[in-house]
Amino acid sequence: MVGTGPGNPEHLSPRAKQAIEEAETIVGYRTYLKLVEEMLRGKEVISTGMMREIERCLLAVHRAGAGQKVALVSGGDPGIYGMAGLALEVIEREGLWDKLEVEIVPGITSASAAAALLGAPLMHDFVVISLSDLLTPWSLIERRLELAAQGDFVVVLYNPASHRRTGQIHRAREILLKHRSSRTPVGIVRNAYREGQEVTITDLENLLNHPIDMLCTVIVGNSQTRVANGFLVTPRGYEL
Ligand code: SAH
């Protein structure tokens, strides 16, 4: 299970590169496989559209169980809203623990990639929340947003919106505004470290005046976060 990072070969770890090179079969989303296209020559490549995660995992683990070297590729980190958890569950359900070896290769996750492009917003305690309610009840997502807002955590939002899911980011903003000033800095990073990269610094007040879609990661500051010459900074607490 290999994480390819945000989408630039320079941010792909040497082990991730090697694991893909060593594999006979590569399984993953089309978009992520594009990033490693040149490395796929001569290999069997299985890429399916969205929403077919279970089939893809079944295919991957059965090939691996039959002795093939299979790389199951996720963008970012495979263990953060990626394929690693599902793959382990599928291996268990299929009773394949004795038949294969598992290695999980970490990758740079969107939170780190977006934070680096914005400055240093994650210098203090932060939470990561996915706004996708495809697999998680919205009531639970709201509860987590509420508690994160109350706890003055910096909040990193993955899957903030898609064409079908547009209301969640509005609701997330409302919840955050109950506990945080409308001047709270917010960073929006779209396509971090890949073609079409856009980095925007705004605030909770103006958050919705910017286009937000599934290619964006949103970072909402805590009560101490500020903008320093175009960079977001969350003070750690050093006395200067
Ligand atoms: N495993 C991935 C996350 C997959 S969930 C990781 O560790 O990063 C998909 C969400 O990740 C997207 O909706 C978006 O919020 C975020 N994302 C993935 N790649 C991104 C990129 N290059 N720039 C900004 N956000 C990204």
Side-chain angles (χ1 to χ4, degrees):
M1 304 163 198
V2 183
T4 54
N8 170 329
E10 286 174 15
H11 293 98
L12 181 77
S13 76
R15 179 60 195 136
K17 184 165 187 270
Q18 190 184 38
I20 293 170
E21 278 163 0
E22 282 172 2
E24 298 154 81
T25 304
I26 312 283
V27 183
Y29 280 145
R30 260 176 227 114
T31 28
Y32 297 144
L33 295 182
K34 271 225 173 95
L35 306 168
V36 290
E37 216 158 31
E38 317 89 76
M39 293 161 63
L40 303 180
R41 252 174 262 127
K43 300 178 190 296
E44 184 188 16
V45 176
I46 299 167
S47 73
T48 55
M50 311 274 288
M51 306 313 296
R52 314 239 346 237
E53 284 93 351
I54 298 177
E55 284 107 308
R56 216 164 38 199
C57 262
L58 273 168
L59 219 137
V61 305
H62 279 289
R63 299 262 164 123
Q68 269 187 34
K69 277 197 171 179
V70 180
L72 183 54
V73 173
S74 293
D77 186 285
I80 301 180
Y81 310 121
M83 295 297 283
L86 175 61
L88 294 179
E89 290 180 286
V90 168
I91 293 169
E92 180 174 54
R93 197 199 65 186
E94 298 294 296
L96 289 170
W97 287 128
D98 300 340
K99 296 262 180 346
L100 48 78
E101 265 175 57
V102 171
E103 179 184 351
I104 299 167
V105 182
I108 296 175
T109 191
S110 303
S112 309
L117 290 166
L118 291 164
L122 307 183
M123 286 298 295
H124 218 292
D125 301 343
F126 65 96
V127 298
V128 173
I129 299 178
S130 166
L131 294 190
S132 171
D133 57 354
L134 293 176
L135 299 169
T136 305
W138 179 250
S139 56
L140 177 59
I141 299 173
E142 280 209 359
R143 184 164 160 246
R144 289 181 176 161
L145 284 165
E146 178 74 40
L147 294 169
Q150 269 181 35
D152 198 26
F153 287 94
V154 175
V155 178
V156 184
L157 300 174
Y158 281 53
N159 297 302
S162 71
H163 2 270
R164 267 175 294 166
R165 286 187 310 102
T166 51
Q168 284 87 344
I169 186 74
H170 290 248
R171 188 67 193 120
R173 174 177 170 274
E174 272 172 23
I175 294 169
L176 287 157
L177 277 172
K178 289 203 278 173
H179 303 276
R180 241 165 256 196
S181 145
S182 60
R183 294 273 148 253
T184 304
V186 177
I188 306 169
V189 178
R190 187 164 191 272
N191 285 316
Y193 297 105
R194 63 189 182 206
E195 217 181 304
Q197 175 177 296
E198 288 169 45
V199 179
T200 306
I201 293 185
T202 179
D203 57 19
L204 270 180
E205 177 72 33
N206 295 297
L207 170 61
L208 301 175
N209 300 332
H210 301 274
I212 296 177
D213 62 15
M214 62 193 288
L215 304 175
C216 295
T217 296
V218 176
I219 302 187
V220 181
N222 68 14
S223 59
Q224 307 303 307
T225 305
R226 56 193 185 79
V227 183
N229 196 33
F231 287 112
L232 284 187
V233 187
T234 301
R236 180 81 197 280
Y238 296 108
E239 301 267 351
L240 290 183

